């Protein structure tokens, strides 16, 4: 490979999600088909039309030292926790430059959030109104800025090649991973900590999403409310958390003897240019992103064995994605084991692409596709192989290729591809 | 009622502990906020606002720059508290 088309591999994973405080417990939860959703029992939720969400399994305040936690928005807290796990999982300790392994000039971070530090913004607005300007925290701006998770993780690991935050609503996390892979492929960096995070379980975002008719109002049954592909689906369940991976040039990973999970084959991007929030019903834009991926990587659809779908459990979006897959993959869709892990984690918005990248990497590594839960009555329009109820073993021999889809309000479409090495 | 010097140092120690996580027993008059107590320029604003509330004193931004040590802050509060 020449300097502008280098092979990119995954060498570390980390997560904090509604299913667990790290990537291993999250994976166990996914394989067990466990829902991370529950009722919102806070007083502020009583009058909301939606009173369910998937909160993180482990509160960040239990993990992070208080002086650090109090100057980070919750979204940055999640990112730092997941990044610390991924960094250690990649066999790295301390800041780059201190260990003689990673050159800080060749290390970057690309970590995205869909909404940024919205709870900090709203909480400090309350402080301003109730207690006055003098009491507004001097940390407000560095906490609420959307690049705060990327910047804080960059400070932790000592990244100097670049710190970036692509923002594309619910595609943000996946767009970050794609951006990070490009930094390495084109030679800007040798190693990048990347992923997505989100923390907006707060009455304002919930009221706003609910008024868009985007969320499930199945308040009586939080654990079965997120039901992608089921005829009874009525919207997404809001989740929170972060998923982070360490990407590295294959050469850099080999030189330091790192354990390699899989290769990042590439990405395909497109935009719907249809509506600010509605999915394009035929899946035209999604199909274009997938086709762009195939064209850019030379991937043969026959090689794809698994897809971690976007599938948020909305009536229109789930179908548009399936239509797009069928359009591009044709009959090859028949051997793609499709998992909608949002049925268990809820929808982490900008964090979704992060935790679903981690789940896709784990699926390839363990050669098993996690289930989609709550598909009691499969929508007849879903003419594809949905992994329902139980996990599914993937082929035990040969290379495996998997896709991870993420789409966002604004018409952003991102398809990532990973392959075992 | 005005706070004594000892009460002010103890109060500042609690504030610094809350904000920077430094044990209260390590907060003494000769300690520099930035060099010894992990209080950066942003956190110093938090320390000042918390001290204003606790000791009923106003510390204008222009005066904050002169408060390098816990002793500086203690003397300032002693002189200006309401």
């Amino acid at each position: 490979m020449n300097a502008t088309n280098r092979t990119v591999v995954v060498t570390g994973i980390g997560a904090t999600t509604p299913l667990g405080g790290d990537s291993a417990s999250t994976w166990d939860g996914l394989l067990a088909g466990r829902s991370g959703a529950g009722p919102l029992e806070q007083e502020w939720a009583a009058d909301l039309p939606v009173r369910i969400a998937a909160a993180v399994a482990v509160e960040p305040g239990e993990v992070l030292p208080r002086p650090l936690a109090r100057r980070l928005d919750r979204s940055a807290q999640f990112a730092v926790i997941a990044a610390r796990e991924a960094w250690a999982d990649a066999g790295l300790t301390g800041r780059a430059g201190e260990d003689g392994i990673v050159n800080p000039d060749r290390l970057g971070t690309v970590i995205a959030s869909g909404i940024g530090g919205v709870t900090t913004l709203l909480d400090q607005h309350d402080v301003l109104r109730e207690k006055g300007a003098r009491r507004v925290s001097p940390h407000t701006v560095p906490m609420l800025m959307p690049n705060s998770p990327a910047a804080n993780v960059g400070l932790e690991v000592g990244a100097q090649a670049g710190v970036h935050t692509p923002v594309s609503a619910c595609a943000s996390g996946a767009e970050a991973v794609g951006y990070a892979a490009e930094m390495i492929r084109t030679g800007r960096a040798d190693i990048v900590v990347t992923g997505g995070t989100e923390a907006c379980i707060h009455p304002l975002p919930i009221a706003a999403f609910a008024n868009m008719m985007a969320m499930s109002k199945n308040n009586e049954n939080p654990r079965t409310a997120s039901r992608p592909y089921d005829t009874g689906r009525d919207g997404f369940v809001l989740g929170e958390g972060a998923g982070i991976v360490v990407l590295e040039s294959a050469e850099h990973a080999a030189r330091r003897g790192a354990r390699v999970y899989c290769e990042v084959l590439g990405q395909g991007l497109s935009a719907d240019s249809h509506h600010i929030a509605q999915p394009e019903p035929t899946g035209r834009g999604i199909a274009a992103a997938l086709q762009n991926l195939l064209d850019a990587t030379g991937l043969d659809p026959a090689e794809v064995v698994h897809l971690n779908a976007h599938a948020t459990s909305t009536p229109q979006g789930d179908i548009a994605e399936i239509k797009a897959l069928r359009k591009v993959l044709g009959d090859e869709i028949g051997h793609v084991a499709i998992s909608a892990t949002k049925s268990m984690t809820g929808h982490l918005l900008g964090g979704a692409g992060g935790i679903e990248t981690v789940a896709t990497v784990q699926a390839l590594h363990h050669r098993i596709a996690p289930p989609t839960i709550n598909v009691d009555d499969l929508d007849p329009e879903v003419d594809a192989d949905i992994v329902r109820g139980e996990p599914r073993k993937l082929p035990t021999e040969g290379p495996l290729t998997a896709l991870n889809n993420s789409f966002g309000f604004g018409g952003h479409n991102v398809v990532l591809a990973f392959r075992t090495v | 009622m005005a706070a004594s010097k000892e009460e002010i140092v103890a109060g500042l120690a609690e504030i610094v502990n809350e904000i920077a996580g430094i044990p209260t027993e390590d907060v003494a008059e000769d300690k520099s906020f930035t060099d010894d107590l992990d209080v950066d320029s942003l956190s110093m604003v938090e320390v000042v606002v918390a001290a204003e509330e606790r000791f009923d004193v106003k510390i204008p931004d222009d005066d904050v720059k002169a408060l390098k040590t816990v002793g500086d802050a203690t003397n300032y509060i002693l002189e200006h508290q309401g």
Side-chain angles (χ1 to χ4, degrees), chain A residues 66-68 70-71 134-139 142, chain B residues 17-18 20-21 40 42-43 46 52-53 59 61:
Chain A
R66 196 186 60 204
L68 175 63
R70 68 192 303 280
R71 56 192 298 163
R134 183 66 173 163
R135 295 289 300 277
V136 171
S137 169
H139 300 295
Chain B
N17 172 260
E18 170 65 25
D40 65 10
L42 295 184
S43 294
E46 287 189 286
E52 285 183 337
E53 286 228 329
I59 311 177
D61 291 348

Side-chain angles (χ1 to χ4, degrees), chain A residues 124-140, chain B residues 45-46 49 52-53 58 61:
Chain A
Q124 291 300 316
H125 189 231
D126 288 343
V127 170
L128 175 69
R129 289 190 307 182
E130 292 163 14
K131 297 178 179 170
R134 183 66 173 163
R135 295 289 300 277
V136 171
S137 169
H139 300 295
T140 302
Chain B
V45 178
E46 287 189 286
V49 172
E52 285 183 337
E53 286 228 329
K58 284 276 171 270
D61 291 348

Side-chain angles (χ1 to χ4, degrees), chain A residues 32 106 232 237 252 343 378 412 418:
Chain A
R106 304 290 300 162
V237 172
H252 190 271
S343 60
L378 184 68
H412 313 273
F418 301 86

Side-chain angles (χ1 to χ4, degrees), chain A residues 112-170:
Chain A
S113 149
I115 310 192
V118 65
T119 56
T120 293
L121 175 67
L122 295 167
D123 290 348
Q124 291 300 316
H125 189 231
D126 288 343
V127 170
L128 175 69
R129 289 190 307 182
E130 292 163 14
K131 297 178 179 170
R134 183 66 173 163
R135 295 289 300 277
V136 171
S137 169
H139 300 295
T140 302
V141 170
M143 285 172 73
L144 71 82
M145 60 192 194
N147 53 313
S148 179
N152 276 290
V153 172
L155 287 169
E156 285 252 329
V157 297
Q160 296 182 28
V163 168
H164 304 287
T165 302
V167 176
S168 49
C170 305

Side-chain angles (χ1 to χ4, degrees), chain A residues 48 75 101 104 111 174 213 244 258 290 338:
Chain A
L48 292 175
S75 61
I101 296 171
I111 298 174
M213 315 295 277
I244 301 285
L290 181 51
I338 298 177

